[in-house]
Amino acid sequence: MTLARAASEQPALWGGASHAGAVRRVNEDAFLGRPELGLWAVADGMGGHGRGDEASACVVEALAAAAEGDSAVARLRHARAALDDAHVRLLARAGPTRIIGATVVVLSLFGDAASLIWAGDCRAYRLRERALERLTEDHSLVEAYGRAGGAPGEAPPRHIVTRALGAGDAYDPESRTVLWRPGDAFLLCSDGLWSVVEEGVVAHLVNALPPHRAVRQLLAAALARGAPDNVTAVVVRPGA
């Protein structure tokens, strides 16, 4: 397990944790925290295509080098440019016949704006007044199937995503901006968390604990439920 916590003088308190899970031997997730830039991310390597750990590391490295911005729009633009750069790098590493890919979710804070950019099924949530709200829609076949009103018993496999970095024409990040207010918290996570831990449990832990303890307990909850995939969580409390 890896852990990180922002220094107390930073404008936001945050914690990040990642674990290989109870089944996988290699952790192909990665996370980033740059509170001095108001930037956090979770990346999930596409292990089914190989070298998923390399893919997620490439995404996080590109975001870590993102330029500063003097507005929410500028910061979102720089985050998108970093993702574009990672996408091109992954395509070059893979060559014409392979895929080295990753899904990602990015949170950028500026003033009272919280901007998100994502591709795939890593998720972002906002906790407000003890209620957990999902802010992202999965780019996956099963999510599209559900939105189309398909019968649950006939849904496609959950793990098939429709957008990802390094996946050729399937690279098309989505973005949105919401406002935060004092007391809010944000959760970024890979599907290894949200697919096994109930939202009520997630909401309770994020609400009750400081970020660095919440992420540890979130991972513990996933492991207690079998954690068949890598598990990563980042919790951010703006202006704390």
Side-chain angles (χ1 to χ4, degrees), residues 113-124:
S115 298
L116 298 162
I117 183 168
W118 74 98
D121 58 0
C122 288
R123 289 183 178 180

Side-chain angles (χ1 to χ4, degrees), residues 27-52:
N27 189 354
E28 296 177 323
D29 286 359
F31 70 89
L32 172 72
R34 291 199 66 191
E36 74 281 5
L37 292 183
L39 185 68
W40 294 266
V42 167
D44 182 352
M46 296 167 62
H49 294 279
R51 297 167 68 181

Side-chain angles (χ1 to χ4, degrees), residues 196-198 201 220-228:
V196 297
V197 182
E198 302 86 348
V201 174
L223 289 167
R225 290 159 174 75

Side-chain angles (χ1 to χ4, degrees), residues 17-230:
S18 188
H19 196 287
V23 176
R24 304 284 179 87
R25 290 185 296 176
V26 177
N27 189 354
E28 296 177 323
D29 286 359
F31 70 89
L32 172 72
R34 291 199 66 191
E36 74 281 5
L37 292 183
L39 185 68
W40 294 266
V42 167
D44 182 352
M46 296 167 62
H49 294 279
R51 297 167 68 181
D53 53 340
E54 179 181 334
S56 61
C58 178
V59 173
V60 166
E61 289 168 6
L63 287 166
E68 296 188 44
D70 56 4
S71 68
V73 172
R75 288 195 177 183
L76 192 64
R77 183 172 65 247
H78 294 322
R80 172 59 190 259
L83 294 182
D84 292 348
D85 180 60
H87 175 63
V88 171
R89 291 187 199 178
L90 291 174
L91 289 176
R93 294 182 190 183
T97 61
R98 295 190 60 190
I99 292 177
I100 301 175
T103 61
V104 67
V105 60
V106 182
L107 168 67
S108 174
L109 297 178
F110 187 91
D112 61 355
S115 298
L116 298 162
I117 183 168
W118 74 98
D121 58 0
C122 288
R123 289 183 178 180
Y125 294 85
R126 178 176 57 192
L127 184 80
R128 174 172 288 175
E129 298 177 353
R130 301 185 180 183
L132 195 67
E133 175 190 5
R134 177 151 62 113
L135 300 176
T136 56
E137 292 186 350
D138 299 341
H139 301 138
S140 66
L141 286 183
V142 71
E143 182 104 341
Y145 180 84
R147 286 198 299 267
E154 301 173 0
R158 180 186 59 79
H159 66 277
I160 301 178
V161 298
T162 55
R163 304 189 198 185
L165 280 73
D169 293 339
Y171 172 65
D172 184 19
E174 187 172 351
S175 62
R176 68 175 297 194
T177 296
V178 299
L179 299 179
W180 66 269
R181 62 192 191 202
D184 286 355
F186 292 92
L187 166 68
L188 310 179
C189 63
S190 62
D191 63 328
L193 179 71
W194 63 255
S195 65
V196 297
V197 182
E198 302 86 348
E199 287 194 0
V201 174
V202 173
H204 170 72
L205 293 173
V206 175
N207 178 70
L209 299 171
H212 68 288
R213 291 179 57 197
V215 293
R216 286 186 291 184
Q217 291 302 311
L218 288 168
L219 266 61
L223 289 167
R225 290 159 174 75
D229 201 352
N230 307 149

